[in-house]
Amino acid sequence: MPMRNAHKEVETGMAYIDSIKEKARKDKKTIVLPESNDKRTLIAASHILEEGLADIIMVGDEEKIMDGAGWLEIELDGVTVVNPDKCEKFDEYVNLLYETRKSKGMTVEKATEILKKDYLTFGVIMVKANDADGMVAGACHATADTLRPSLQILKTAPGVKLVSGFFIMDVPNSTYGDGGTFLFADCGLNQDPTAEELAAIADSSARSFQNLVGSKPIIAMLSHSTKGSAKHPLVDKVVEATRIAHEQYPNLTLDGELQLDAALDAKVAKTKGALSDVTGKANVLIFPNLDCGNIGYKLVQRLAKAEAYGPMLQGIAKPVNDLSRGCSWEDIVGVVALTAVQAQIM
């Protein structure tokens, strides 16, 4: 997760996450934090409220939450606590879950049991009911636990072929990317995407980069080969993904297959005969599989001391975002700010 000892300054003199926080404050949204038994979540909620980034709903027992805040010596003034056992809208939420999932065998009794016990599903239902604008979870749950109810209840956004995960990477003292800011995808969800899925991930990532960074997305489809320098089925997949992306998403500035150095450095690209509108300028990096994406973002995070915000989810009808179980409270604050900006856009 983000290394706090090195903040890259962008041209405005403001670190990337500070610019996101400024956007979040201008149109404050309501974000659910269902993991109310996690101390990092409590500390993050306190800072989010103090900084005015979002209105916060926590799911759980108010007495336990406030006892935890007291033990941590933090203030949670202004937080809204919703206890499923005492919620006035509980029956409404039960009916909403039942109606949404009845074709899959959901019953009223089962919906009641789920919403009593599963705070993540309860949070997603609040988003579905428009009682919250988004949700952030995953500090003490697996990605599947966050993703499953989100897909089942909120569904994918119109025109989106699949949900994927990305990180916003903010690299200090870097001349690459958009002043050191990149989007890496998919780093947290799709294990081995097909060529068509890679193309769809590129399209979603372009929109996410435009919305969250505010600059033109320049997309590199990454491989261990540059323009035919290697022959392998893994290379063929990226070549085909590039072809599909050009065909289905012709407005994207996109090139592939490219090795990372060619994507980032125009001089290297020239030596490899791969100069294009993308090489030397790429700020959106599409990895061929989850192994590459996950290893890649962690290398940049640890060795380049980059701040890594995510894994963010793209393609869900309303903003729900995951956290690494190794996250810090600062990471939660950052992802909540990003989620709030996603909600503004939606």
Side-chain angles (χ1 to χ4, degrees):
M1 283 289 115
M3 303 294 185
R4 301 296 158 185
N5 60 342
H7 286 271
K8 178 188 71 64
E9 299 299 316
V10 293
E11 290 180 357
T12 59
M14 182 181 295
Y16 168 73
I17 198 60
D18 292 333
S19 68
I20 288 294
K21 288 180 177 181
E22 188 174 83
K23 289 180 183 177
R25 290 187 192 99
K26 288 180 178 178
D27 180 15
K28 197 182 293 185
K29 298 299 180 182
T30 299
I31 307 299
V32 181
L33 299 178
E35 295 171 314
S36 58
N37 60 340
D38 184 274
K39 69 178 183 180
R40 295 165 296 175
T41 301
L42 295 177
I43 295 169
S46 176
H47 283 270
I48 291 161
L49 293 169
E50 182 181 348
E51 294 186 52
L53 304 179
D55 293 323
I56 294 297
I57 296 173
M58 303 196 81
V59 183
D61 181 273
E62 184 168 7
E63 184 176 347
K64 289 180 180 179
I65 290 170
M66 293 308 169
D67 283 348
W71 181 74
L72 292 166
E73 298 182 342
I74 58 173
E75 295 291 335
L76 286 178
D77 294 342
V79 71
T80 298
V81 177
V82 178
N83 185 339
D85 291 329
K86 300 177 181 179
C87 178
E88 293 181 357
K89 298 187 71 174
F90 186 80
D91 289 343
E92 180 181 326
Y93 292 155
V94 167
N95 188 61
L96 181 56
L97 178 56
Y98 164 69
E99 290 292 337
T100 303
R101 299 287 297 161
K102 64 182 179 182
S103 64
K104 301 295 183 180
M106 181 64 68
T107 64
V108 171
E109 293 75 19
K110 190 174 181 180
T112 300
E113 181 182 359
I114 290 171
L115 292 178
K116 287 282 187 182
K117 295 180 179 180
D118 185 350
Y119 287 0
L120 270 66
T121 300
F122 192 93
V124 171
I125 279 290
M126 293 193 75
V127 176
K128 176 75 170 178
N130 295 318
D131 290 329
D133 300 301
M135 186 181 87
V136 173
C140 51
H141 288 86
T143 294
D145 295 327
T146 304
L147 187 61
R148 189 182 305 108
S150 303
L151 286 175
Q152 290 176 344
I153 296 165
L154 299 174
K155 316 293 186 185
T156 55
V160 173
K161 294 182 179 179
L162 83 163
V163 174
S164 54
F166 68 92
F167 277 83
I168 296 291
M169 304 296 297
D170 196 19
V171 186
N173 306 313
S174 175
T175 58
Y176 297 124
D178 187 65
T181 301
F182 294 85
L183 186 150
F184 286 13
D186 184 334
C187 303
L189 193 55
N190 294 285
Q191 292 271 359
D192 188 15
T194 65
E196 188 165 4
E197 288 171 339
L198 276 179
I201 290 168
D203 180 53
S204 293
S205 298
R207 281 180 273 135
S208 292
F209 187 85
Q210 179 71 56
N211 290 335
L212 295 176
V213 179
S215 300
K216 178 183 177 180
I218 303 173
I219 307 156
M221 307 296 282
L222 297 181
S223 173
H224 69 275
S225 169
T226 296
K227 299 297 182 179
S229 65
K231 304 297 182 184
H232 192 276
L234 292 176
V235 176
D236 295 341
K237 182 176 79 167
V238 179
V239 172
E240 178 64 5
T242 303
R243 185 195 68 78
I244 293 170
H246 283 310
E247 181 180 283
Q248 296 187 1
Y249 315 108
N251 294 328
L252 295 181
T253 301
L254 176 147
D255 196 14
E257 89 284 10
L258 295 171
Q259 292 165 291
L260 179 66
D261 54 357
L264 297 183
D265 191 320
K267 291 182 180 179
V268 173
K270 184 177 181 180
T271 65
K272 297 185 178 186
L275 277 179
S276 72
D277 291 341
V278 171
T279 51
K281 305 171 187 175
N283 49 36
V284 176
L285 305 182
I286 306 301
F287 293 86
N289 59 41
L290 190 57
D291 283 342
C292 295
N294 191 271
I295 293 167
Y297 100 77
K298 287 179 178 176
L299 275 172
V300 175
Q301 178 191 34
R302 299 297 176 181
L303 299 187
K305 293 181 169 47
E307 297 195 6
Y309 295 99
M312 307 286 288
L313 299 177
Q314 55 191 3
I316 299 176
K318 292 188 177 184
V320 173
N321 285 310
D322 191 23
L323 296 162
S324 166
R325 279 174 284 181
C327 68
S328 66
W329 66 260
E330 294 98 331
D331 303 328
I332 300 173
V333 172
V335 173
V336 166
L338 283 160
T339 305
V341 173
Q342 282 183 316
Q344 291 172 357
I345 294 160
M346 289 185 177

